[in-house]
Amino acid sequence: MEHLIAQNNTQPYGKGMSNRLTKEDWVATGFRALAETGPQALKAEALARRLKTTKGSFYHHFKDVPAYHAAMLSLWQDKAFTGIVEELADIPTAEGKLRALAEIANDGAPDRFGGLLIEPAIRAWSLHDAHVAKAVTDIDGKRIDYTADLLEACGQPRALSVLFYGAFLGLDDLQARGHDGTGGALTGLMDRILGPGERP
């Protein structure tokens, strides 16, 4: 999921930077904190310490901590599905889209946004927060349906989308735990489903 969230170029953080911090800076920091520490790190004071600034900067951008959490989930939902679909839009065939999707799914989010750890971290967060659980359920449904539509267009059973998605979730977790041998596994699985073919 390398394209889970687009990177941007921001200046290094430091003292006196509070007026320059953007909403995306705060959200990116939240993803890293979530991936490294867990949802208990998603508090204004803890995040401000990470950014070497004050809580005032946080509250300049967000009404409160729940609003901050909502902004994190909104960005994740957008980049975890909509952004990927848009990226695949110019590929003319369903087969090409599926092969490209498998390649994207082999990668993690940019390190700035939690890297390989972020999806497992969001899913762990969802076990303790109903809003996060709903966001994860919505994304799961959209991803499975989108993959099923592409598989059906290629003459394959829609049910294979659950197999592919389950493999993605499992491999994502293994990658996050540092297991070797996961690289390229999803492209290999897609080759098994579709047969060998040219990359888009």
Side-chain angles (χ1 to χ4, degrees), residues 93-163:
T93 66
E95 178 180 339
K97 284 181 170 66
L98 282 168
R99 294 189 190 279
L101 180 62
E103 292 182 0
I104 290 171
N106 271 315
D107 301 319
D111 288 341
R112 182 170 183 261
F113 291 90
L116 292 170
L117 297 174
I118 193 56
E119 284 244 352
I122 288 173
R123 291 177 184 281
W125 185 18
S126 75
L127 299 176
H128 308 285
D129 188 300
H131 296 292
V132 183
K134 183 181 184 306
V136 169
T137 298
D138 289 347
I139 286 296
D140 286 346
K142 289 177 179 179
R143 286 170 166 174
I144 290 170
D145 287 345
Y146 178 74
T147 306
D149 289 344
L150 293 176
L151 286 165
E152 186 175 47
C154 293
Q156 299 293 332
R158 292 181 63 86
L160 286 176
S161 63
V162 176
L163 172 64

Side-chain angles (χ1 to χ4, degrees), residues 17-169:
M17 292 287 291
S18 60
N19 290 333
R20 300 183 189 179
L21 292 172
T22 66
K23 280 188 175 183
E24 188 174 272
D25 292 328
W26 282 98
V27 170
T29 298
F31 282 123
R32 291 196 306 276
L34 176 64
E36 295 167 9
T37 308
Q40 66 272 19
L42 301 179
K43 299 176 181 178
E45 186 172 352
L47 293 166
R49 283 198 301 269
R50 277 179 169 262
L51 289 171
K52 299 179 181 179
T53 187
T54 66
K55 289 191 294 184
S57 175
F58 177 92
Y59 289 109
H60 173 73
H61 293 295
F62 306 98
K63 176 183 177 182
D64 50 28
V65 172
Y68 174 71
H69 292 174
M72 287 182 64
L73 290 174
S74 177
L75 183 60
W76 176 69
Q77 287 179 291
D78 180 58
K79 300 302 182 181
F81 180 72
T82 306
I84 291 172
V85 172
E86 290 174 351
E87 182 177 345
L88 300 176
D90 291 337
I91 299 175
T93 66
E95 178 180 339
K97 284 181 170 66
L98 282 168
R99 294 189 190 279
L101 180 62
E103 292 182 0
I104 290 171
N106 271 315
D107 301 319
D111 288 341
R112 182 170 183 261
F113 291 90
L116 292 170
L117 297 174
I118 193 56
E119 284 244 352
I122 288 173
R123 291 177 184 281
W125 185 18
S126 75
L127 299 176
H128 308 285
D129 188 300
H131 296 292
V132 183
K134 183 181 184 306
V136 169
T137 298
D138 289 347
I139 286 296
D140 286 346
K142 289 177 179 179
R143 286 170 166 174
I144 290 170
D145 287 345
Y146 178 74
T147 306
D149 289 344
L150 293 176
L151 286 165
E152 186 175 47
C154 293
Q156 299 293 332
R158 292 181 63 86
L160 286 176
S161 63
V162 176
L163 172 64
F164 177 79
Y165 193 59
F168 158 67
L169 294 180

